[in-house]
Amino acid sequence: MKRLQNRIAESGLALPVMAVYGLIVWLYSGLVASGWWPQLACYTAAVYLLAELSNANALLRIRSRIISCAFIALSCMASMLFGSLSGSLWLLFHVSALLLLFSTYQNGQAVGRVFYAFVFLGGASMMHVQTLWLVPAIWVLMATQLLAFNWRIWLSSLIGLLTPYWFLSLWFIYTQDFTPLADHISGLWAIGVPFDYSDVTVGQAAIYALTLGLMLTGIVHFWHRSYEDKIRIRLLYGFFTYLGLLALLVVAILPQYFDPFIWLAFICASPLAGHFVALTSTRITNIASIVIAVLVLLITILNLWMPSLHF
């Protein structure tokens, strides 16, 4: 029996409607007044690439755009992040990297795609150097979830990661001033005070709580029904699971890095949430899907009206 959640997930109008919804949120946030057109372009490209990631890897057993819809819904909760060009580039680079990495599944010879994936990650680390914290975990996930890791792959990833810095160093050689680069790299260990929630807003806490709740719900649902999916799909969802939980762990310990890492949490939570909505059809899950949609809308409104509200 198809319920409301299933009809929405399978509807061809779902993504266009969510695209209009997302544009309305962007407009209300200050798109025109603040001239956030480059940020919107990066965001739109990221949504498109996420849809391609879903299609190319058949993340759902049905024809559905619900993963992209889930990402739009989740990301619109954090409308206070729309104005950051570095954050928008960080988002686009990470989706691009995942699209390339997932295409290397069980292919230990895909050094070219791994190189370009890590070029994107290197570019993301130029936006936020803390991206480099994720690299060892991504290497582990490539070995355990993508089954594509050897010394050639590792060397290719390392070269790709350093390539953006190599090009940037040419400018510093020309100016004979490496201070900006040194200051940037020092952010790797200048992490600040852990568990300092003094600057956390109500909106950020609500976003974090709902994203974590969706992640855990999606994880429990997927692994309870994982026998219905192919081994490849289980491993790809495992990649999303571990990377998403790592991003949320970083935010929990170091809330000052909420802005970049919550984007990664949205990327990883969207497939899990989409799988839950599209591939369940009980009365309880239908009610849960409606409740989730209402909560997402309420948090979006809260952050549009009172983005700086503190406890």
Side-chain angles (χ1 to χ4, degrees):
M1 175 182 178
K2 288 188 177 181
R3 300 184 184 272
L4 177 62
Q5 65 182 96
N6 308 114
R7 291 196 293 270
I8 292 174
E10 297 176 25
S11 173
L13 293 175
L15 186 56
V17 168
M18 287 304 300
V20 172
Y21 167 79
L23 182 59
I24 291 172
V25 174
W26 272 83
L27 288 169
Y28 195 90
S29 300
L31 170 63
V32 177
S34 302
W36 291 341
W37 302 108
Q39 291 90 323
L40 178 61
C42 291
Y43 178 85
T44 303
V47 172
Y48 171 77
L49 291 178
L50 192 59
E52 287 299 307
L53 175 67
S54 174
N55 292 337
N57 295 282
L59 294 180
L60 297 174
R61 299 190 300 274
I62 61 173
R63 182 179 178 83
S64 174
R65 300 290 189 181
I66 193 64
I67 291 176
S68 297
C69 293
F71 175 78
I72 293 173
L74 291 175
S75 59
C76 282
M77 294 192 300
S79 56
M80 74 286 269
L81 305 182
F82 288 169
S84 171
L85 180 57
S86 63
S88 299
L89 287 169
W90 199 86
L91 165 66
L92 177 58
F93 289 164
H94 271 81
V95 177
S96 301
L98 289 178
L99 181 62
L100 286 167
L101 286 177
F102 278 23
S103 70
T104 68
Y105 176 76
Q106 282 191 333
N107 185 357
Q109 306 301 315
V111 292
R113 276 172 282 177
V114 170
F115 169 79
Y116 288 114
F118 277 82
V119 167
F120 281 119
L121 290 176
S125 73
M126 295 175 70
M127 305 296 109
H128 296 281
V129 72
Q130 293 77 22
T131 303
L132 297 177
W133 294 343
L134 300 172
V135 171
I138 291 175
W139 283 334
V140 172
L141 292 175
M142 289 172 64
T144 59
Q145 307 302 126
L146 299 183
L147 309 179
F149 197 75
N150 52 48
W151 72 268
R152 294 177 70 245
I153 290 287
W154 177 79
L155 186 59
S156 176
S157 69
L158 197 60
I159 295 172
L161 195 65
L162 295 175
T163 296
Y165 289 93
W166 183 84
F167 282 107
L168 186 63
S169 68
L170 298 178
W171 171 254
F172 294 126
I173 291 172
Y174 173 74
T175 61
Q176 296 184 345
D177 181 13
F178 283 85
T179 303
L181 180 59
D183 291 342
H184 180 72
I185 297 298
S186 67
L188 279 173
W189 48 85
I191 61 176
V193 180
F195 304 107
D196 180 9
Y197 301 114
S198 58
D199 292 327
V200 174
T201 66
V202 173
Q204 287 176 324
I207 290 169
Y208 183 89
L210 184 58
T211 305
L212 177 60
L214 277 176
M215 281 284 298
L216 296 177
T217 300
I219 290 168
V220 171
H221 153 71
F222 182 81
W223 294 112
H224 178 65
R225 305 297 297 271
S226 61
Y227 65 89
E228 296 178 352
D229 287 293
K230 297 178 181 178
I231 294 176
R232 179 173 179 271
I233 302 303
R234 296 181 214 170
L235 292 173
L236 295 184
Y237 272 89
F239 196 110
F240 283 126
T241 295
Y242 298 124
L243 190 60
L245 290 177
L246 178 59
L248 290 172
L249 180 62
V250 171
V251 175
I253 297 174
L254 298 167
Q256 59 267 39
Y257 298 115
F258 174 91
D259 291 6
F261 285 97
I262 201 66
W263 280 122
L264 184 57
F266 291 156
I267 294 171
C268 296
S270 298
L272 290 162
H275 196 282
F276 171 76
V277 172
L279 299 176
T280 58
S281 59
T282 67
R283 182 170 176 270
I284 293 176
T285 59
N286 193 55
I287 294 172
S289 298
I290 295 171
V291 170
I292 290 168
V294 171
L295 289 174
V296 167
L297 182 60
L298 290 176
I299 295 173
T300 301
I301 293 172
L302 170 66
N303 283 307
L304 282 173
W305 284 357
M306 295 177 289
S308 302
L309 179 65
H310 281 75
F311 291 96

